[in-house]
Amino acid sequence: MNTIIFRTIAPLIVATMLVFSIYVCLRGHNEPGGGFIGGLIGASAIAVLGMATSATHARKALYFDPLSFAGFGVLLAGLTGLISIFNDNPFMTSIWLYLELGESTVPLSTPLVFDIGVYLVVFGTISSIALGLESDEGEEP
C-alpha cells in the first residue's frame, strides 16, 4: 500500500496509536487494559509505519532492535517478582509506594512495573514479527 494519502496520514495514525497504547497499558490494573493489549496496539502502530514507509525505515524509527525491547521487558517483569522476595514476601507479591506530589498522591506499584515489562515484551515481539514479514528479500532484518 503505497498511496500518497496513506504515506501522509501514517505518522499521525502512528503517533495516536502509540499514545493510546501507553494509556491502555497504564490504566490496566484499575480498568480494562494492561500491558498485553497496550503492547499489541503499539506493535500495530509500528506495523502501520512499516506499511506506509518501509520495514527498514520503521526499524530506524525504533532506534533499538525490537527484540531488545522484548528482552528488556522480560528482565523488567522478572525483577518485579524478585523485589518482593527481598522484602520477605512470596514471589510476585505486590508492593506499593505512595509518592506525595504537592496536593496529590501518586501510587507506584510492582504490578505497574510488571505491566510495563509485559508491554515491552509484546511490543518488541510482535513488532519484530511484523517488520520481518514486511521486509523485502534484500532488506536487512
Side-chain angles (χ1 to χ4, degrees):
M1 182 177 289
N2 199 9
T3 64
I4 186 98
I5 296 171
F6 184 56
R7 281 182 287 154
T8 304
I9 200 73
L12 179 64
I13 294 170
V14 169
T16 304
M17 287 176 74
L18 287 175
V19 169
F20 184 66
S21 75
I22 292 170
Y23 169 73
V24 168
C25 176
L26 292 179
R27 74 178 209 151
H29 264 76
N30 299 327
E31 295 178 23
F36 187 80
I37 297 301
L40 285 177
I41 295 169
S44 299
I46 299 302
V48 167
L49 182 64
M51 285 188 293
T53 57
S54 69
T56 304
H57 182 266
R59 287 181 193 277
K60 288 180 183 175
L62 280 174
Y63 191 71
F64 294 110
D65 183 47
L67 289 179
S68 299
F69 286 107
F72 182 70
V74 168
L75 180 69
L76 190 64
L79 288 177
T80 58
L82 292 177
I83 290 173
S84 60
I85 290 177
F86 294 122
N87 211 16
D88 291 333
N89 290 319
F91 183 70
M92 296 294 279
T93 301
S94 297
I95 298 172
W96 292 81
L97 174 68
Y98 296 95
L99 295 177
E100 299 290 333
L101 297 176
E103 295 183 13
S104 63
T105 303
V106 177
L108 297 176
S109 64
T110 54
L112 173 67
V113 179
F114 180 81
D115 263 352
I116 292 170
V118 170
Y119 176 91
L120 291 173
V121 168
V122 173
F123 175 79
T125 305
I126 302 298
S127 293
S128 180
I129 292 169
L131 293 176
L133 290 173
E134 291 174 0
S135 65
D136 292 332
E137 289 281 329
E139 281 187 61
E140 291 276 326

